[in-house]
Amino acid sequence: MEAASLCIDPSFVIGEIDDRIRGSFVEHLGRCVYGGIYEPGHERADGAGFREDVLDLVRGLRVPVVRYPGGNFVSGYKWEDGVGPVGERPRRLDLAWRSTEPNTVGMAEFAAWCAEARTEMMLAINLGTRGVDAARNVVEYANHPSGSYWSDLRAAHGARQPYDVKLWCLGNEMDGPWQIGHKTAAEYGRLASEAARAMRMVDPRIELVACGSSHSGMPTFPEWEATVLDLAYDDVDYLSLHSYYGRPYDDPADFLASALDMDGFIDSVVATCDYVRARKRRSKRMHLSFDEWNVWHRDADAQGPAAPWATAPALLENVYDVRDAVVVGSLINSLIRHADRVKIACLAQLVNVIAPIMTSNGGGAWRQTTYYPLLGAAHFARGAALQLETSGPSFDSATFGPVPMLDAAATTDGDGTFSLFLVNRDQAETLALDVDVRAVGPCEVVVHESLDPAGDPSATNTEAAADRVVTKQHTGAEVSRGHLAVSLAPLSWNVLQLRAARR
Ligand code: AHR
């Protein structure tokens, strides 16, 4: 097998990595909230009903920001249902997921959970069934210090200090016909602009995300982006992208090439943003919020809820194998490669629902395979993303044509530490990689971790066998005469950390 090579140079900087690209997402969907982060009566629940075992696993991922409360859920949500005395909150039909929402968890509870999880909340507002008035009110409730109706109501509800929510999403997937109150691009662009202006009048410090397309296969993509930005460019800070990868796909090789799709999607959205910028003659560059991304095998949740209108039924509970984790690793690489424009990204979702963390009701909490590349990014993706020159063997995918066996991204903290995130897409063969580190100078490998199938790409973690798939530590990657030689196991995700000698 032909070897692969890449060249790393600390002066070829793509951009500073915004920590928020390691964000996540908690939706009132299935068992993400109820039975996931929150399960009063569970032996590991704290006084507020939050599961400490789940919190431990979440804290391990060092998630900087969590999008909440949806998702499709938010387009039918009345935020007022989720504040005030819990006993007085209404039970509502959640039309998006055909479930019953008890509203036991709302803004105050989620804010308290975020504090425990050492993260910040990113709130999505309902622009499906609601509009400008509800949008400005929720900002006043969450962020205004005191002395007004909504801020005083928050204080009366027990929260004297504002929640100070910085990031706000202007609706969710409003281009999608499945969305309650879905809109044309022109309808949404106007509404997003007006809602944004009113929200900023209440709190000028907030940052706003407008909805881009639900995925790149939407018939209205990228016209949607162009029209929405035409109407709202000056009022928003970020444009959203959503994308899920998984079955059904005809060719398994296509799945392994998912990051090429993500790269192309981001590049197209960047191009569209810059087109609008040029047309409007603005200096401001639009940044991107990839606020839903993951592997999602939709055939795995085809059966739907056992009974309609249940509370917290098991929905979208994908069980991930090693192959899925390797794809998640390459999707993280794509986000790193676009560090100059993607400033926020949220893995969808955090617990139980297409998630790296699983629980059983009344039972344990465990890490899925996909937890590990996220953990690797949390520990090693720091500082600036670097432009890499790569070459090597490729394979043919029905959708993408030639796909490189090697998927790579690199970061540096600017103080002599470099991290390389490497995926070998070859399902059968080890990939020999030569890394040209001459521009780094004398250096040594201090970490080589990998996740690989060890002969079983369909291996998963379960409650009974929670640590069947874990990362392995390796020695043997050596630097000699300005070149690092490393072997990447078949179908593996790897992280290497290099430290330059002090000069
Ligand atoms: O994350 C699951 C769902 O996928 C979200 O609710 C929706 O926004 C997307 O279509």
Side-chain angles (χ1 to χ4, degrees):
M1 164 62 78
E2 188 192 337
S5 66
L6 69 81
C7 181
I8 178 169
D9 188 320
S11 50
F12 295 166
V13 170
I14 298 170
E16 280 298 308
I17 295 174
D18 192 317
D19 251 7
R20 297 174 302 172
I21 67 165
R22 296 185 299 95
S24 197
F25 178 28
V26 165
E27 176 168 5
H28 284 250
L29 192 185
R31 297 191 310 120
C32 189
V33 173
Y34 307 109
I37 64 169
Y38 178 81
E39 192 179 345
H42 189 280
E43 62 175 11
R44 296 289 313 276
D46 64 14
F50 300 127
R51 284 185 61 157
E52 288 283 4
D53 50 353
V54 175
L55 277 166
D56 284 345
L57 295 178
V58 172
R59 284 192 285 255
L61 289 177
R62 303 182 193 174
V63 179
V65 66
V66 180
R67 184 168 174 252
Y68 175 86
N72 296 341
F73 170 80
V74 82
S75 296
Y77 184 55
K78 254 185 107 180
W79 68 267
E80 299 90 330
D81 290 346
V83 299
V86 173
E88 293 170 21
R89 296 184 194 170
R91 291 172 67 79
R92 299 261 190 210
L93 294 186
D94 161 20
L95 304 186
W97 302 107
R98 287 181 68 74
S99 307
T100 301
E101 171 56 49
N103 282 306
T104 319
V105 171
M107 195 187 296
E109 294 75 22
F110 192 67
W113 181 84
C114 285
E116 291 291 312
R118 299 183 201 128
T119 189
E120 282 192 22
M121 66 176 156
M122 169 184 191
L123 283 184
I125 62 160
N126 175 354
L127 287 186
T129 61
R130 308 195 79 186
V132 178
D133 200 37
R136 65 168 178 151
N137 292 345
V138 68
V139 177
E140 184 181 319
Y141 184 92
N143 287 7
H144 194 68
S146 63
S148 68
Y149 176 79
W150 291 106
S151 59
D152 289 347
L153 187 63
R154 182 196 67 239
H157 289 159
R160 289 213 153 275
Q161 293 306 315
Y163 296 116
D164 260 330
V165 179
K166 186 159 185 215
L167 273 172
W168 295 79
C169 302
L170 299 164
N172 177 70
E173 295 190 350
M174 297 310 303
D175 60 326
W178 58 86
Q179 204 70 219
I180 303 172
H182 112 270
K183 300 189 167 37
T184 65
E187 287 166 349
Y188 172 71
R190 283 274 299 125
L191 179 58
S193 161
E194 293 302 329
R197 289 193 317 109
M199 291 164 79
R200 263 197 232 281
M201 284 179 202
V202 178
D203 184 353
R205 302 162 308 157
I206 59 176
E207 294 192 323
L208 295 166
V209 184
C211 290
S213 295
S214 304
H215 58 89
S216 60
M218 292 296 290
T220 44
F221 172 76
E223 202 48 51
W224 170 276
E225 280 73 1
T227 306
V228 167
L229 289 181
D230 198 37
L231 295 162
Y233 197 90
D234 297 334
D235 306 310
V236 302
D237 305 286
Y238 308 90
L239 187 67
S240 79
L241 296 84
H242 291 182
S243 201
Y244 295 97
Y245 299 96
R247 293 189 302 267
Y249 46 86
D250 297 333
D251 180 354
D254 281 1
F255 178 51
L256 291 172
S258 297
L260 271 70
D261 183 87
M262 195 185 230
D263 284 339
F265 186 21
I266 296 171
D267 291 344
S268 301
V269 175
V270 166
T272 310
C273 292
D274 290 351
Y275 160 75
V276 178
R277 171 178 179 258
R279 248 174 31 119
K280 287 182 165 286
R281 285 145 177 84
R282 295 292 189 268
S283 58
K284 162 178 146 185
R285 260 186 218 287
M286 190 61 58
H287 286 141
L288 307 186
S289 172
F290 212 126
D291 47 41
E292 285 188 35
W293 69 271
N294 205 347
V295 167
W296 178 3
H297 299 299
R298 290 173 197 247
D299 57 352
D301 45 66
Q303 76 280 8
W309 312 121
T311 293
L315 294 177
L316 282 55
E317 300 205 357
N318 274 204
V319 177
Y320 292 119
D321 63 19
V322 178
R323 205 182 282 111
D324 299 322
V326 168
V327 170
V328 164
S330 63
L331 296 173
I332 295 170
N333 285 355
S334 174
L335 296 171
I336 293 172
R337 286 192 286 267
H338 292 92
D340 54 337
R341 297 303 283 267
V342 179
K343 298 295 175 187
I344 303 165
C346 304
L347 179 89
Q349 301 191 0
L350 187 56
V351 185
N352 288 331
V353 173
I354 43 174
I357 298 168
M358 293 298 288
T359 69
S360 65
N361 294 344
W366 64 98
R367 302 170 183 87
Q368 294 233 56
T369 57
T370 54
Y371 187 94
Y372 292 100
L374 299 164
L375 187 65
H379 284 160
F380 299 109
R382 290 265 171 278
L386 295 177
Q387 189 75 50
L388 298 175
E389 267 311 308
T390 62
S391 65
S394 59
F395 64 95
D396 283 320
S397 128
T399 307
F400 301 106
V403 175
M405 291 297 187
L406 176 70
D407 182 89
T411 63
T412 181
D413 68 352
D415 198 24
T417 302
F418 297 82
S419 299
L420 280 167
F421 301 89
L422 306 166
V423 164
N424 176 11
R425 294 188 173 108
D426 195 313
Q427 300 182 66
E429 307 244 350
T430 297
L431 184 65
L433 174 66
D434 172 84
V435 185
D436 184 338
V437 292
R438 284 174 297 176
V440 172
C443 60
E444 59 171 346
V445 177
V446 288
V447 174
H448 178 192
E449 267 180 32
S450 79
L451 195 77
D452 62 66
D456 184 5
S458 59
T460 58
N461 290 337
T462 59
E463 184 169 16
D467 294 324
R468 183 149 168 247
V469 181
V470 293
T471 43
K472 295 176 201 152
Q473 311 294 321
H474 301 272
T475 53
E478 299 253 324
V479 181
S480 165
R481 297 187 187 166
H483 287 262
L484 158 67
V486 60
S487 294
L488 308 178
L491 196 66
S492 64
W493 168 88
N494 302 258
V495 59
L496 275 90
Q497 193 172 63
L498 299 175
R499 194 156 297 141
R502 296 267 170 215
R503 296 187 204 191

